[in-house]
Amino acid sequence: MSGQAPEPAPELPRFNPSRWPPCECARCRSGKDDGGEGAAESALIRRLRARVAEENGLRSSLRRTR
């Protein structure tokens, strides 16, 4: 085995946008120009995530005290 050359790594397939279309989530869309709505939407999403995180923290602390 020491006399043999290592096997070459397989080539990765080329990116095909029709096979893997761009992501439509808010995080990926934020680069697109949507007339200023994206900033307001992302602020709303940040507030919602903060609220959900706070509620989850309260639930877990309540579970620990039981």
Side-chain angles (χ1 to χ4, degrees):
M1 292 261 179
S2 62
Q4 294 178 351
E7 195 173 306
E11 258 187 64
L12 295 176
R14 289 181 168 248
F15 178 71
N16 183 351
S18 62
R19 188 169 180 188
W20 291 287
C23 183
E24 291 296 327
C25 75
R27 185 180 298 168
C28 293
R29 281 187 313 180
S30 66
K32 295 180 183 175
D33 184 22
D34 56 0
E37 276 185 30
E41 183 178 323
S42 63
L44 179 65
I45 290 172
R46 280 194 299 272
R47 285 193 308 233
L48 180 62
R49 284 183 180 153
R51 180 176 167 189
V52 168
E54 181 182 1
E55 289 176 359
N56 287 343
L58 291 172
R59 281 192 196 105
S60 66
S61 64
L62 181 64
R63 279 190 218 121
R64 279 183 258 148
T65 58
R66 288 185 178 182

